[in-house]
Amino acid sequence: MTASWPKPLASLMIAVMALACGGMVANLYSAQTLLDPIAPDIGLSAGMEGAIVMLTQPGYGLGLALVVPLGDLFENRRLILLLSVVRTAIGFV
């Protein structure tokens, strides 16, 4: 038997991945529209408001540079569990 590798992705899977990628990119830019009306209520200056929006870009880049290679080092299930535990621990700090 010959295995055909890689197997083609189902249309539903492609649509789900496209929506996930779109959501991640939208998350990077959604702060721009939300911070303007919220900033005065929480006491943010215009400079700090801009810094928050700007820092999402290098933060996203660092996340890609540091997290994506972990997929080569760990099994996916173990990696998801590890990152979930780390994220939860950060959330409690």
Side-chain angles (χ1 to χ4, degrees):
M1 265 195 221
T2 60
S4 62
W5 183 259
K7 295 181 181 179
L9 293 174
S11 296
L12 179 62
M13 182 62 77
I14 293 172
V16 167
M17 286 194 290
L19 285 172
C21 290
M24 286 186 290
V25 170
N27 187 38
L28 292 174
Y29 296 104
S30 64
Q32 291 176 346
T33 57
L34 295 174
L35 277 177
D36 194 37
I38 295 172
D41 293 335
I42 58 175
L44 284 178
S45 66
M48 185 58 103
E49 182 182 338
I52 290 172
V53 173
M54 186 272 304
L55 288 173
T56 60
Q57 301 295 324
Y60 184 71
L62 278 172
L64 286 175
L66 298 174
V67 174
V68 171
L70 293 177
D72 294 334
L73 300 174
F74 297 103
E75 176 198 2
N76 289 342
R77 290 181 184 173
R78 184 178 292 172
L79 179 60
I80 291 169
L81 178 64
L82 173 71
L83 292 177
S84 297
V85 168
V86 168
R87 178 62 185 118
T88 303
I90 291 171
F92 284 120
V93 172

